[in-house]
């Protein structure tokens, strides 16, 4: 790398060295990731206590955290369709709808920043491949033909979910969500992890091990939620943009990119796979050469703190609005929970 930086071609470009080691964007992103992971852990623990209370363990009572519905993306899609069809906010799991719309909005604005700044699964995936890279001094890449084939899987899964939800009427959605299964869909999700079967444990174990060796294995190939966010990100006004005139072709950006995008060869990154993580920007050694930019004629650079602030405004803005307008909690009375939660494992998909 030193040879590239010291070459006459680079000198001829009046290379302005940037102190990229002082870049704080990735520390800021890590702080946001940790905060969101902690929020999810707190929600998970509170929800577990809530469920245990209604299982008659003597714990609590603990109030149900509506944020748990962030883990019910299908309910979120159903409720969004119900809202679009009827104009009414659904009664059961409305937070699932507000959360999926919040994250969709963040993707429209800040590319796939949901995946690289907020999603707890994305955070753990990133930590796993970084662990693999630090342990084995490298990550592994699948052959191009296999990589492209596998990447289509998440879009196929998304298509199946969208087709299934898109073919439901408003009445069918209301009946589904107000059935015993729909009312305790969150408890069913918890039970999936509490009483995990052998098959599910083997699959999750495989995904964890694969994620150590292959960067973002789950997110890159299988996550339909990420696929949806990637499609929304295609409309984002933000792009990674490279200044060809000052670029010294060191390829540091491409090597740092967890989505393996050819950042060093393109002028703009338009790909649905771009996570908005700014890892490429953080490692670029030349001043004003690689930036996340707003696609206006002025191409103003967007700094990491602006992304963090924007994510916070959208997230807290939408969730606070839902709470203040009384559309955040699912108004299920305690006696219904007392009846349904101990029997949650009996309910199968209607
Ligand atoms: S192009 Fe840059 S912002 Fe996009 S995924 Fe790659 S490293 Fe992250
Ligand atoms: S844009 Fe990429 S290739 Fe060009 S100088 Fe920056 S890191 Fe190196």
């Amino acid at each position: 790398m030193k040879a590239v930086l010291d070459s006459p071609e680079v000198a001829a470009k009046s290379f302005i060295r940037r102190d990229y080691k002082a870049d704080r964007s990735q520390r800021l992103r890590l702080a946001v990731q940790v905060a969101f992971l902690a929020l999810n852990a707190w929600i998970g623990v509170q929800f577990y206590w809530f469920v245990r209370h209604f299982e008659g363990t003597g714990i609590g009572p603990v109030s149900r955290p509506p944020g748990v519905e962030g883990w019910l993306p299908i309910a979120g899609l159903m409720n969004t369709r119900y809202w679009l069809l009827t104009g009414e906010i659904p009664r059961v799991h409305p937070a699932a709808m507000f959360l999926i719309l919040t994250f969709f909005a963040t993707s429209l604005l800040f590319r796939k920043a949901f995946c690289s700044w907020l999603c707890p699964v994305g955070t753990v995936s990133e930590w796993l491949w970084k662990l693999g890279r630090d342990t084995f001094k490298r990550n592994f890449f699948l052959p191009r033909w296999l990589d492209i084939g596998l990447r289509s899987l998440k879009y196929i899964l998304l298509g199946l979910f969208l087709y299934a939800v898109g073919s439901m009427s408003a009445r069918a959605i209301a009946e589904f969500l107000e059935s015993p299964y729909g009312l305790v869909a969150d408890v069913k999700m918890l039970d999936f992890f509490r009483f995990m079967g052998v098959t599910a444990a083997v699959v999750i174990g495989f995904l964890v091990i694969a994620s150590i060796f292959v960067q973002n294995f789950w997110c890159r190939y299988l996550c339909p939620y990420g696929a949806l966010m990637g499609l929304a990100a295609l409309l984002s006004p933000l792009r990674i943009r490279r200044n060809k005139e000052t670029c010294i072709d060191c390829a540091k950006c491409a090597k740092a990119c967890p989505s393996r995008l050819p950042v060093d060869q393109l002028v703009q990154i338009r790909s649905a796979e771009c996570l908005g993580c700014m890892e490429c920007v953080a490692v670029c050694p030349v001043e004003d050469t690689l930036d996340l930019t707003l696609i206006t004629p002025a191409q103003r650079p967007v700094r990491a703190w602006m992304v963090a602030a924007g994510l916070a405004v959208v997230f807290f803005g939408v969730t606070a609005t839902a709470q203040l307008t009384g559309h955040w909690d699912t108004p299920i009375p305690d006696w219904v929970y007392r009846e349904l939660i101990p029997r949650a494992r009996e309910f199968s998909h209607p």
Side-chain angles (χ1 to χ4, degrees), residues 242 246-253 264 280 283-286 289-290:
R242 184 177 66 102
T246 54
C247 172
I248 57 170
D249 300 316
C250 66
K252 281 182 166 215
C253 48
D264 59 333
C280 53
V283 297
C284 179
V286 189
T289 294
L290 195 66

Side-chain angles (χ1 to χ4, degrees), residues 59-349:
I59 295 174
V62 179
S63 61
R64 175 182 175 277
V68 77
E69 293 172 20
W71 291 86
L72 300 178
I74 309 290
L77 283 177
M78 283 183 183
N79 276 341
T80 303
R81 177 162 169 80
Y82 181 89
W83 175 55
L84 292 174
L85 288 172
T86 65
E88 291 171 21
I89 305 288
R91 287 185 303 172
V92 177
H93 307 320
M97 180 184 85
F98 283 107
L99 285 167
I100 202 167
L101 291 177
T102 299
F103 299 136
F104 194 80
T106 62
S107 303
L108 284 174
L109 292 171
F110 306 108
R111 305 210 62 87
K112 232 171 139 183
F114 167 74
C115 300
S116 62
W117 289 72
L118 301 179
C119 177
V121 180
T123 298
V124 172
S125 290
E126 183 178 335
W127 291 351
L128 285 173
W129 68 254
K130 285 184 172 168
L131 172 73
R133 186 188 60 187
D134 294 346
T135 307
F136 303 107
K137 304 294 170 229
R138 59 170 295 195
N139 291 125
F140 293 84
F141 303 113
L142 301 185
R144 192 170 156 71
W145 62 269
L146 184 57
D147 179 63
I148 292 174
L150 289 178
R151 262 194 278 157
S152 62
L153 285 178
K154 61 180 184 284
Y155 295 107
I156 293 172
L157 288 170
L158 173 65
L160 291 174
F161 286 126
L162 290 179
Y163 174 75
V165 172
S167 57
M168 291 177 84
S169 65
R171 186 175 168 170
I173 290 171
E175 283 176 358
F176 178 89
L177 288 173
E178 293 180 19
S179 69
Y181 181 96
L183 292 176
V184 292
D186 43 7
V187 184
K188 302 281 296 179
M189 173 64 79
L190 177 68
D191 285 350
F192 171 79
F193 291 103
R194 280 199 299 175
F195 309 112
M196 192 178 290
V198 176
T199 310
V202 169
V203 170
I204 290 178
F206 168 77
L207 290 173
V208 168
I209 292 169
S211 301
I212 293 174
F213 294 102
V214 179
Q215 291 181 348
N216 296 331
F217 185 86
W218 161 259
C219 311
R220 185 171 179 83
Y221 299 125
L222 295 167
C223 180
Y225 206 96
L228 180 64
M229 298 304 143
L231 294 179
L234 291 174
L235 301 173
S236 166
L238 301 189
R239 304 259 162 83
I240 292 291
R241 195 175 171 83
R242 184 177 66 102
N243 182 343
K244 273 197 326 188
E245 304 309 315
T246 54
C247 172
I248 57 170
D249 300 316
C250 66
K252 281 182 166 215
C253 48
K255 278 189 203 131
C257 177
S259 294
R260 302 210 301 283
L261 296 168
V263 191
D264 59 333
Q265 289 160 33
L266 300 172
V267 172
Q268 281 190 39
I269 300 292
R270 294 192 174 90
S271 169
E273 302 289 333
C274 175
L275 301 166
C277 63
M278 302 178 76
E279 292 251 16
C280 53
V281 177
V283 297
C284 179
V286 189
E287 199 70 48
D288 296 331
T289 294
L290 195 66
D291 275 308
L292 185 65
T293 53
L294 194 59
I295 46 167
T296 56
Q299 290 169 12
R300 288 175 63 89
V302 175
R303 306 299 178 203
W305 69 265
M306 298 177 189
V307 176
L311 291 173
V313 167
V314 175
F315 179 72
F316 292 113
V318 176
T319 53
T321 303
Q323 288 174 44
L324 292 172
T325 56
H327 294 118
W328 186 243
D329 291 288
T330 295
I332 299 176
D334 280 1
W335 67 265
V336 175
Y337 278 130
R338 205 166 291 119
E339 175 76 20
L340 296 183
I341 285 180
R343 297 171 45 216
R345 293 175 74 194
E346 296 169 19
F347 305 130
S348 51
H349 206 286

